[in-house]
Amino acid sequence: MKIPLSDNDFLLLLKRYMKDSYMVNYVAFVNHLESIRDYLKTNNLTDNAMKIIQNFPGKLVDLELPELPPVDGTSVAQRIFKDFCNHPQENKTICDIVFCIQKVVHKNRIRVREFLEGFDLMHTGTVTKNQFERSLNNMGVGKYLTQREFELLSARYIDPIDTNRIRWRMFEDEIDRVFTIKHLEKTPLLEVQSPPKYIEEMPRSGSLNWQEAKPEIRDLCEESLHRIQIRIKNRRLHMHPFFKSYDKLNSGHVPCKIANRILVNNGILLSNDELNSLIDRYGNELGFNYTRFLEHADPAEYAIPKLTTSSTIQGNCLAPLTRDGDANGEDEIGNITNEQYIIKLLAKIKRQAITKSISVMDFLQDYDRHREGEISEEDFRRGLDNANVKLLPQEVKMLCKIFRSPKRGCCVLYRDFCRALDEVFVKIETASGDGEITAVPLLHLANLDCFECFLNFEERTLCSQALMKLARQPDEVSYLSSVFKDFDRENCGTIQKNQLMRALTVRDMHHMLSSREFDVIFKCFGMQRGTGLEFNYREFLNILKILHQTGQVQRKY
């Protein structure tokens, strides 16, 4: 019956209903319980569920534990000591919630449609609230939302016809604005900034809005920073290693008490008010932001040599081109500097194209309907933007001047531009004794290393040995690319880990690798896609082709 009784209460019951010193008169016990129940019922001391009313005078002990007060929509235990570094924003508006989701989606490159489309089997554009909540949790966004914020989000996208369903397509369109704008083909001249400015300037969660802080706190913080700057400059203190030793996760943050301890150890003594003002300015949910603090408190101008900045060099390079006058008036040094800057600019464009696997010619020749080799300057700028080539406005202007068409002053020779890009990465060799010139293309592989796919020396050695094994059967022999393309339905160039194992198994290549070698290869060619790593099979096939052509293959003996 699971009725909790202490030992003394159980002994009292035994003494009351004991019979012949070894038997219990359970019939009398049950009759007494029924009589008590009838008495309570006749005197209206029980409710319809036959439970004792709440204000019953004889009820001394309540065995039901009280619920904890809800914190941020969840019944959890509150912190005993307040975290002074964290300044959570209370009662967020719906705009703050949407901006927070957009920032998480842009940071992790999440495709919202993939998480919500599976629940909409009838393609009505709506899902239930439970399905909407499950999708947010699968995206990794649900952990940033409280129950109150989820209710506000649901109320924003609720279906007016069926109030139990959520319009997920409307939610997707609003969140995807952080990447691009829908129906952009109707306004081709519109400039899209990805991410928007309000996302770039959005402070980290838990940080205090310093512009709205009290004037006396801001003045006290500036005085404290000035004192710290003088102390660091006079004693030549290098405080970054002290903070770095406590930052095990390399997040750029340490706890507030650790920050105070480091300041005291370096002889920087602050009052409680001064320390609190610094915490209000540099504190957030992760702790004390020591990287931003050192940028303001330790600029180290006394230790930096007076060098010419890159912007000044580029300005000097652009000056002769923008100067009015004859080309004969330019000196030889200016021509050499301009030529070097042009080569660097072309190399910058080619690097972005190779890293992102983009063919610039495909984006530019769409605007050349008559195949004349010339497009307008506006179309040239638009094509570079569509190709996701990041350039400064003055750099694009300089390219337009260099490749200006002699027939039409408003057009650009885009074919010469693409040919110049190819020449940047071509090595010219002249054979001795004759005038023949052979062009040997130099292959440049994109560096896609990230924190999750970093390999140490042992792992790189193991990966190179495993690739030499697989190079015995390149794509020309094993046709791995066809299997990979079957798994890559979105044609994004990446597949999952289990799909890689299935592809190797289909081509009978899985026995060539051990489990450790397989994990190292997946880690080497991993790419951050959404919330996890995926395998870049295009780069993998390219490496196998290079190893096979150069003869770097592990032979069988």
Side-chain angles (χ1 to χ4, degrees):
M1 297 176 66
K2 297 181 180 180
I3 300 177
L5 289 177
S6 62
D7 296 339
N8 296 329
D9 295 340
F10 184 69
L11 291 176
L12 287 175
L13 287 176
L14 286 180
K15 290 180 181 179
R16 175 66 178 80
Y17 299 104
M18 187 70 71
K19 183 179 180 182
D20 297 336
S21 299
Y22 68 95
M23 297 181 66
V24 178
N25 189 3
Y26 71 92
V27 178
F29 174 69
V30 173
N31 291 334
H32 285 170
L33 289 180
E34 291 180 352
S35 61
I36 293 173
R37 187 182 63 181
D38 295 339
Y39 173 78
L40 294 175
K41 187 176 180 179
T42 54
N43 290 278
N44 297 326
L45 296 177
T46 57
D47 54 8
N48 296 331
M50 298 303 297
K51 293 183 179 180
I52 299 177
I53 60 178
Q54 186 175 3
N55 297 326
F56 177 62
K59 188 176 180 181
L60 301 178
V61 179
D62 188 7
L63 298 180
E64 296 180 359
L65 296 176
E67 294 184 357
L68 293 172
V71 178
D72 292 337
T74 308
S75 296
V76 296
Q78 299 183 9
R79 298 175 61 93
I80 299 177
F81 300 103
K82 181 183 177 181
D83 187 7
F84 290 98
C85 283
N86 190 13
H87 307 86
Q89 183 180 358
E90 299 180 356
N91 300 327
K92 289 184 179 180
T93 61
I94 186 63
C95 295
D96 297 334
I97 300 171
V98 173
F99 292 164
C100 179
I101 297 176
Q102 286 181 342
K103 185 176 182 180
V104 175
V105 168
H106 181 269
K107 179 181 178 181
N108 299 324
R109 298 297 192 271
I110 299 174
R111 301 173 183 170
V112 180
R113 175 183 289 270
E114 294 182 358
F115 293 91
L116 288 164
E117 193 175 20
F119 293 108
D120 190 10
L121 301 179
M122 304 300 294
H123 300 286
T124 59
T126 59
V127 293
T128 63
K129 285 187 178 181
N130 293 334
Q131 293 172 348
F132 185 61
E133 187 174 6
R134 286 169 58 188
S135 302
L136 292 179
N137 293 329
N138 294 336
M139 291 183 210
V141 180
K143 59 184 178 181
Y144 299 102
L145 300 177
T146 63
Q147 192 63 30
R148 172 189 168 275
E149 294 170 357
F150 175 74
E151 294 296 335
L152 287 176
L153 194 65
S154 302
R156 179 179 179 84
Y157 303 105
I158 197 169
D159 190 1
I161 300 176
D162 188 358
T163 56
N164 294 324
R165 302 184 71 84
I166 306 297
R167 294 177 291 179
W168 69 270
R169 291 189 186 276
M170 181 179 175
F171 170 74
E172 179 204 0
D173 294 340
E174 189 164 6
I175 297 301
D176 285 346
R177 289 179 185 174
V178 73
F179 298 109
T180 184
I181 298 177
K182 207 171 183 181
H183 305 298
L184 193 60
E185 63 276 5
K186 298 180 181 179
T187 55
L189 299 180
L190 180 64
E191 294 184 1
V192 180
Q193 184 181 3
S194 179
K197 189 175 181 181
Y198 61 87
I199 296 295
E200 290 182 346
E201 299 177 354
M202 186 176 178
R204 184 181 290 274
S205 178
S207 59
L208 185 65
N209 190 353
W210 190 244
Q211 302 298 330
E212 299 179 357
K214 297 181 180 179
E216 54 269 17
I217 297 179
R218 297 179 61 177
D219 296 340
L220 185 61
C221 180
E222 293 297 334
E223 293 177 2
S224 304
L225 281 176
H226 184 64
R227 287 178 52 195
I228 295 174
Q229 288 176 358
I230 294 175
R231 189 73 172 178
I232 291 175
K233 184 175 181 179
N234 293 338
R235 299 189 60 184
R236 296 297 194 269
L237 296 177
H238 186 42
M239 301 183 63
H240 190 270
F242 293 94
F243 288 101
K244 193 70 175 178
S245 61
Y246 290 98
D247 186 14
K248 303 299 181 183
L249 300 178
N250 295 328
S251 62
H253 296 75
V254 294
C256 294
K257 58 181 181 181
I258 298 297
N260 187 21
R261 187 187 307 171
I262 293 173
L263 294 176
V264 173
N265 292 339
N266 286 274
I268 301 175
L269 305 179
L270 301 175
S271 63
N272 293 332
D273 295 337
E274 293 173 342
L275 183 62
N276 292 334
S277 63
L278 291 177
I279 290 175
D280 290 341
R281 182 171 182 177
Y282 301 105
N284 52 46
E285 62 178 358
L286 297 181
F288 186 79
N289 189 354
Y290 68 88
T291 55
R292 187 170 166 226
F293 166 73
L294 292 178
E295 288 178 1
H296 297 164
D298 187 16
E301 296 178 354
Y302 53 86
I304 299 177
K306 300 299 182 180
L307 300 177
T308 306
T309 60
S310 59
S311 60
T312 306
I313 296 176
Q314 294 181 6
N316 296 333
C317 296
L318 290 173
L321 290 180
T322 57
R323 190 183 305 139
D324 296 330
D326 242 353
N328 298 329
E330 297 180 352
D331 54 353
E332 185 179 358
I333 298 177
N335 292 333
I336 296 175
T337 308
N338 291 332
E339 184 179 355
Q340 292 177 355
Y341 177 67
I342 292 169
I343 294 176
K344 290 181 180 180
L345 181 58
L346 293 176
K348 176 182 178 181
I349 301 172
K350 187 66 176 181
R351 175 183 171 274
Q352 296 184 32
I354 290 294
T355 305
K356 301 173 184 177
S357 301
I358 297 172
S359 177
V360 182
M361 173 68 79
D362 296 340
F363 288 91
L364 295 178
Q365 68 181 0
D366 292 341
Y367 298 100
D368 187 13
R369 296 184 179 180
H370 302 288
R371 296 297 183 264
E372 297 176 350
E374 300 176 354
I375 58 176
S376 63
E377 185 175 343
E378 294 180 357
D379 293 337
F380 182 73
R381 296 173 183 269
R382 194 181 306 162
L384 293 179
D385 290 338
N386 294 338
N388 199 15
V389 177
K390 305 296 184 182
L391 294 176
L392 298 176
Q394 57 268 26
E395 294 175 346
V396 179
K397 187 176 181 180
M398 185 176 183
L399 288 175
C400 294
K401 288 184 177 181
I402 295 172
F403 299 98
R404 182 80 64 189
S405 174
K407 299 179 182 179
R408 303 172 186 173
C410 60
C411 293
V412 179
L413 299 173
Y414 72 93
R415 289 182 182 175
D416 294 346
F417 167 71
C418 295
R419 197 177 297 113
L421 287 183
D422 296 334
E423 291 176 357
V424 172
F425 289 87
V426 171
K427 181 180 179 181
I428 305 299
E429 295 182 356
T430 305
S432 60
D434 52 9
E436 295 182 359
I437 298 178
T438 57
V440 181
L442 300 180
L443 184 62
H444 290 257
L445 300 179
N447 184 13
L448 300 175
D449 289 344
C450 59
F451 181 77
E452 290 81 4
C453 58
F454 174 77
L455 300 179
N456 53 27
F457 177 76
E458 182 181 358
E459 291 175 340
R460 288 180 181 271
T461 305
L462 188 63
C463 181
S464 62
Q465 295 175 357
L467 289 174
M468 291 171 63
K469 294 179 183 178
L470 296 175
R472 295 200 297 261
Q473 297 184 10
D475 188 36
E476 292 81 359
V477 179
S478 60
Y479 298 103
L480 267 174
S481 59
S482 60
V483 184
F484 289 148
K485 290 178 181 179
D486 292 340
F487 289 124
D488 187 14
R489 296 182 179 179
E490 291 82 7
N491 196 19
C492 60
T494 58
I495 58 176
Q496 298 179 359
K497 188 175 183 179
N498 59 343
Q499 294 174 345
L500 173 63
M501 176 57 73
R502 289 169 59 187
L504 295 177
T505 306
V506 169
R507 297 307 184 197
D508 198 19
M509 298 174 61
H510 63 285
H511 64 277
M512 304 172 66
L513 300 175
S514 63
S515 60
R516 187 181 178 189
E517 291 174 342
F518 176 77
D519 294 337
V520 171
I521 287 180
F522 180 80
K523 185 179 180 181
C524 177
F525 296 95
M527 286 185 62
Q528 190 72 27
R529 186 76 67 183
T531 57
L533 283 178
E534 292 189 3
F535 184 75
N536 186 359
Y537 67 85
R538 293 175 181 171
E539 192 70 24
F540 171 71
L541 295 176
N542 193 14
I543 293 296
L544 292 185
K545 181 179 179 181
I546 295 171
L547 293 177
H548 181 73
Q549 291 177 351
T550 55
Q552 301 180 25
V553 180
Q554 188 173 357
R555 305 295 181 182
K556 287 184 178 180
Y557 296 103

